[in-house]
Amino acid sequence: HEGVVATVKEAGRSIHEIPREE
Amino acid sequence: EGALGYVREFTRHSSDVLGNLNELRLRGILTDVTLLVGGQPLRAHKAVLIACSGFFYSIFRGRAGVGVDVLSLPGGPEARGFAPLLDFMYTSRLRLSPATAPAVLAAATYLQMEHVVQACHRFIQASYEP
């Protein structure tokens, strides 16, 4: 698997948050 | 050894992307089609519509779909079922009540959203049970 040894879960946000409409 | 590594799976990525797409919709950013439902305009992204609905897939998939800027959907009593479906596409949450479920069912049938159709049927059936 091309050197991949583990899958690590990231529970936090993955991308920036678009500001909510006011 | 240096080639060994990890896959980091961001478990909430799909919902983060969907949440941002919904905010773009609400702010009218990069929306590329207006759905006219009973004269009421609903702005949306074709890419989201085509990903969620067999009807929109058949409308937008070809080159002809690029030029479609405004699309009229059926009005009448069923019209109020479309807005909850659009919200569902962008949030994964389907708001149903005994009063709205028949309209949402009709709209979902029209838009060829089979899984939502089934969910509406289950909801309506359960609401009849004591």
Side-chain angles (χ1 to χ4, degrees):
Chain A
H1 295 201
E2 299 190 358
V4 173
V5 295
T7 298
V8 179
K9 302 275 189 183
E10 291 272 6
R13 192 173 177 86
S14 66
I15 51 175
H16 72 118
E17 183 176 8
I18 292 178
R20 295 292 179 259
E21 195 170 33
E22 293 164 9
Chain B
E1 288 293 323
L4 298 179
Y6 294 92
V7 169
R8 300 194 85 85
E9 182 183 350
F10 289 76
T11 56
R12 53 175 284 181
H13 183 62
S14 55
S15 62
D16 283 346
V17 171
L18 197 61
N20 274 356
L21 283 171
N22 192 40
E23 195 56 35
L24 294 175
R25 170 179 73 117
L26 297 175
R27 298 177 64 171
I29 297 173
L30 287 180
T31 50
D32 51 5
V33 68
T34 299
L35 305 175
L36 284 179
V37 187
Q40 292 281 77
L42 298 170
R43 292 285 291 168
H45 301 93
K46 289 178 186 174
V48 174
L49 299 177
I50 199 172
C52 296
S53 151
F55 170 80
F56 288 123
Y57 181 80
S58 60
I59 294 284
F60 294 134
R61 67 178 165 179
R63 250 187 293 177
V66 175
V68 177
D69 299 322
V70 179
L71 195 62
S72 288
L73 298 176
E78 299 171 2
R80 61 181 177 163
F82 284 104
L85 282 182
L86 196 57
D87 287 338
F88 161 72
M89 292 183 198
Y90 279 87
T91 65
S92 75
R93 286 186 285 275
L94 180 65
R95 293 166 64 95
L96 286 176
S97 73
T100 63
V104 175
L105 170 61
T109 302
Y110 186 88
L111 296 183
Q112 298 167 32
M113 299 172 68
E114 283 308 311
H115 301 88
V116 173
V117 167
Q118 290 167 20
C120 289
H121 276 307
R122 286 196 297 271
F123 178 85
I124 292 170
Q125 203 163 20
S127 66
Y128 283 127
E129 290 170 3

